[in-house]
Amino acid sequence: MSEMVKLCQDIYNTGIWPEDFLQTIMIPLKKKANATVCEEYRTISLLTHASKIMIKIMTRRIQAKVEADHQLGEDQFGFRKNRGTRDAIGALRILAERSLEHDQEVYVCFVDYEKAFDRVDWKKLMQALIRLGIDWKDRRLIRNLYMGQKIRIRIEGEYSEPGEIGRGVRQGCPLSPLLFNIYIEELIREALENLEVGIKVGGTLVKALRFADDQAMLAGTQEGLQQMMEHLERTSKEYGMKINSKKTKVIKISRKEKTTIRIIINGEDRSGRRVLLLRECGYNGCKVPCIAKSGEE
């Protein structure tokens, strides 16, 4: 135990990680029996247990500072103590029901990012850590951990040559959920900070409900939601994130029948734009009640 404590102290004071702490073994797993292309595989990453001890210490220290300084929005329910999917779903249901009681409409866009955790820009992540006032020793450790990591792929007992990764948070690392929360918080803050669009609840403007990368953007009008999505789309591109238009869904919660909602999101059709018109959708695996019927894409 004393040797492990001394090792962690040395790592923290010097900022230098042992070589084996920087090694990651990646194992591809088939999504289906006859997988032949990369898209039909998912991966798991194996890290050294000893490295996770030091990383968990860092995670708890940074998490405590972020939470104490209220740097993560109240609308973020992912990877946080005493919060979960049930809270996010409950908040959305209550917001919808209260709005209907007052005969108000709610426009919701469920945003799905394509491979969100793999698209984190390290430069912007470090800028976010600086803005949050994270101690320079912790930032140095994170920088060296990411810049020095080496990946080897294991297939049927055979190992590839070490490779490098230039973006994304580390799969299987205890620090990754927190770093992703910080990153996506910066993205949302920058995209929506100058927008007075959302749903008023007790004098507070609620613009979104989020669980990590699963985001429900909220507005009281179709025009407001369109404006919000344009800002989000533009900022997401600056952060290297790509909105998956095929999985992004739009709904209108209203008492009115036969209503249609049209929200334009940059897509991949022939004109370069896509209109999403969906009949129903869910949030974090739960159906949202009182959804007005709409057209289909």
Side-chain angles (χ1 to χ4, degrees):
M1 178 62 72
S2 59
E3 293 180 357
M4 190 67 213
V5 171
K6 185 178 185 306
L7 176 60
C8 289
Q9 291 173 337
D10 289 341
I11 294 172
Y12 183 72
N13 290 326
T14 64
I16 300 175
W17 294 89
E19 284 297 321
D20 57 334
F21 281 25
L22 299 173
Q23 301 296 318
T24 299
I25 303 299
M26 188 173 291
I27 303 174
L29 302 175
K30 294 180 180 180
K31 293 182 180 178
K32 54 183 181 180
N34 58 344
T36 56
V37 296
C38 291
E39 290 75 11
E40 296 174 346
Y41 287 81
R42 62 171 56 91
T43 61
I44 59 171
S45 295
L46 306 181
L47 310 176
T48 60
H49 290 298
S51 69
K52 291 183 179 181
I53 296 175
M54 180 64 190
I55 292 172
K56 283 186 176 181
I57 295 172
M58 291 172 52
T59 301
R60 290 183 179 181
R61 182 164 54 240
I62 297 174
Q63 182 85 56
K65 175 174 177 53
V66 169
E67 294 289 357
D69 294 346
H70 305 288
Q71 296 290 355
L72 295 180
E74 289 298 315
D75 59 352
Q76 175 59 272
F77 295 89
F79 308 126
R80 301 178 72 182
K81 189 176 181 180
N82 299 324
R83 299 184 183 219
T85 54
R86 289 180 297 179
D87 302 293
I89 293 167
L92 182 57
R93 291 176 67 98
I94 292 172
L95 188 148
E97 291 167 2
R98 294 294 182 270
S99 296
L100 290 175
E101 287 177 3
H102 293 84
D103 203 26
Q104 296 176 345
E105 297 178 337
V106 179
Y107 292 78
V108 189
C109 183
F110 298 96
V111 179
D112 181 87
Y113 283 116
E114 184 177 305
K115 299 186 182 300
F117 290 84
D118 296 331
R119 289 179 172 270
V120 172
D121 183 303
W122 295 349
K123 183 177 180 180
K124 284 192 173 293
L125 175 60
M126 295 306 298
Q127 291 172 348
L129 294 176
I130 292 173
R131 192 189 73 81
L132 297 182
I134 303 303
D135 185 81
W136 69 272
K137 285 188 175 182
D138 288 324
R139 298 202 312 269
R140 180 178 65 178
L141 283 170
I142 294 172
R143 182 194 64 211
N144 292 343
L145 178 64
Y146 274 77
M147 297 300 293
Q149 64 181 326
K150 298 294 183 182
I151 308 294
R152 299 181 69 187
I153 301 175
R154 188 176 76 190
I155 300 177
E156 296 182 354
E158 298 292 331
Y159 292 84
S160 69
E161 292 297 319
E164 297 181 354
I165 293 179
R167 65 177 183 178
V169 291
R170 304 172 76 225
Q171 187 184 53
C173 178
L175 184 59
S176 292
L178 175 59
L179 292 182
F180 183 82
N181 266 0
I182 291 173
Y183 188 78
I184 204 70
E185 187 70 30
E186 287 293 290
L187 189 160
I188 293 295
R189 180 188 60 81
E190 186 174 323
L192 306 181
E193 62 181 349
N194 296 320
L195 277 181
E196 290 300 317
V197 177
I199 303 296
K200 276 286 184 69
V201 179
T204 301
L205 192 62
V206 180
K207 301 179 180 180
L209 291 172
R210 300 176 288 144
F211 188 91
D213 61 323
D214 291 323
Q215 302 177 157
M217 313 306 294
L218 308 170
T221 65
Q222 178 172 309
E223 293 74 18
L225 185 59
Q226 179 67 67
Q227 184 182 13
M228 181 179 287
M229 290 307 300
E230 289 173 357
H231 279 247
L232 181 64
E233 181 183 351
R234 181 168 57 251
T235 307
S236 295
K237 289 180 179 179
E238 295 173 359
Y239 275 74
M241 307 294 277
K242 181 180 179 182
I243 295 178
N244 187 338
S245 58
K246 292 181 179 179
K247 294 184 178 180
T248 295
K249 302 178 181 181
V250 182
I251 63 172
K252 175 182 179 181
I253 302 174
S254 172
R255 291 186 181 278
K256 299 177 181 179
E257 294 295 331
K258 298 182 179 179
T259 54
T260 299
I261 175 173
R262 299 174 63 89
I263 299 296
I264 308 299
I265 300 174
N266 189 40
E268 300 176 357
D269 61 352
R270 286 172 293 178
S271 65
R273 309 289 288 179
R274 175 165 292 173
V275 181
L276 298 179
L277 301 168
L278 299 177
R279 190 173 300 277
E280 63 176 12
C281 79
Y283 178 57
N284 277 322
C286 180
K287 296 296 182 182
V288 180
C290 304
I291 300 174
K293 294 182 179 178
S294 65
E296 292 183 316
E297 181 180 345

